[in-house]
Amino acid sequence: EAGVTQFPSHSVIEKGQTVTLRCDPISGHDNLYWYRRVMGKEIKFLLHFVKESKQDESGMPNNRFLAERTGGTYSTLKVQPAELEDSGVYFCASSPLWRPTDTQYFGPGTRLTVL
Amino acid sequence: AQSVTQLDSHVSVSEGTPVLLRCNYSSSYSPSLFWYVQHPNKGLQLLLKYTSAATLVKGINGFEAEFKKSETSFHLTKPSAHMSDAAEYFCVVSSNAGGTSYGKLTFGQGTILTVHP
């Protein structure tokens, strides 16, 4: 069974540019989560999809971040325009059910560097 | 509200000696707790989880953790460290509160484990 995949693995962009990160969850997992770790800080929740609906986007930093999950399969996270403080590692996770006891399966992350 | 504190940012042990990674949590509800590990250039992998069944939880690769409600702790241990255990470890609590945050993970700051030959 394929795990959670993320693309690209690394992205280096200049301030003001746009970047789109992609996450493919494990097939059949309705729940998809985005997390972010900026350097020196803990991993923090960004948002949660149940199928194609945004269930909780309380962790999104500001309106420069836009997440979508069309058709309830893969998800994209767009940053427009990127700022220096957006640099970090962006993780995606998926789980089959929406329960606190469920394991969330993580992808390898996308390392974003904004210059 | 919930929070997690990993008491050590770095732990260094010799191969073959015990490992102890400390974690304290705060949660308004009976928590679900996890330990994840991240090896260099890899994704986060689940080591073990506590979901209100047995308080002593066994995980992969010989790791285990004990849930102690009175101490609000969930420390991770392993009797004998191996070189391959060198990685960063995360203690995580999952929200059992109702509402939209149900199931949201809150991470500790991470503990980097170094294993010396």
Side-chain angles (χ1 to χ4, degrees):
Chain A
E1 177 184 272
V4 177
T5 58
Q6 294 187 244
F7 182 84
S9 56
H10 292 82
S11 180
V12 180
I13 62 172
E14 295 195 350
K15 176 182 173 181
Q17 290 185 322
T18 297
V19 62
T20 300
L21 314 181
R22 174 172 168 142
C23 168
D24 286 79
I26 294 172
S27 177
H29 282 194
D30 286 342
N31 293 272
L32 188 149
Y33 303 82
W34 284 97
Y35 295 86
R36 177 175 76 168
R37 189 181 197 189
V38 297
M39 189 155 40
K41 303 284 190 177
E42 66 270 28
I43 299 171
K44 285 195 172 178
F45 168 84
L46 294 179
L47 86 159
H48 169 209
F49 285 99
V50 178
K51 297 185 179 178
E52 66 275 9
S53 299
K54 291 177 186 174
Q55 184 59 44
D56 179 3
E57 50 184 335
S58 61
M60 295 287 264
N62 50 61
N63 59 11
R64 295 186 293 102
F65 289 75
L66 175 64
E68 295 180 322
R69 192 183 182 195
T70 307
T73 54
Y74 72 91
S75 174
T76 58
L77 180 65
K78 180 190 286 188
V79 185
Q80 179 182 29
E83 298 289 344
L84 298 179
E85 63 265 24
D86 301 332
S87 296
V89 181
Y90 291 75
F91 293 100
C92 175
S94 71
S95 67
L97 298 173
W98 182 20
R99 292 185 310 201
T101 55
D102 271 14
T103 299
Q104 293 185 22
Y105 296 88
F106 281 79
T110 293
R111 181 174 297 276
L112 174 64
T113 302
V114 183
L115 302 175
Chain B
Q2 56 190 31
S3 65
V4 179
T5 301
Q6 292 182 241
L7 298 165
D8 306 290
S9 58
H10 290 81
V11 170
S12 181
V13 301
S14 297
E15 191 174 22
T17 64
V19 175
L20 170 63
L21 305 184
R22 298 181 295 165
C23 171
N24 287 110
Y25 70 91
S26 172
S27 177
S28 302
Y29 297 83
S30 181
S32 295
L33 293 159
F34 304 78
W35 276 97
Y36 280 86
V37 61
Q38 185 180 24
H39 288 91
N41 301 314
K42 301 283 189 181
L44 285 88
Q45 179 186 20
L46 179 72
L47 273 179
L48 50 81
K49 65 179 178 181
Y50 166 77
T51 59
S52 77
T55 56
L56 182 62
V57 182
K58 294 188 183 299
I60 61 171
N61 300 333
F63 284 94
E64 63 182 37
E66 185 171 9
F67 173 73
K68 292 187 176 180
K69 185 176 180 179
S70 60
E71 298 176 11
T72 61
S73 69
F74 191 57
H75 301 335
L76 181 70
T77 60
K78 182 173 180 178
S80 176
H82 191 273
M83 296 295 290
S84 60
D85 294 328
E88 188 165 17
Y89 292 78
F90 298 93
C91 183
V92 183
V93 62
S94 179
S95 173
N96 281 333
T100 58
S101 296
Y102 191 63
K104 182 171 83 174
L105 299 184
T106 300
F107 283 76
Q109 300 89 332
T111 298
I112 295 173
L113 176 65
T114 302
V115 182
H116 297 289

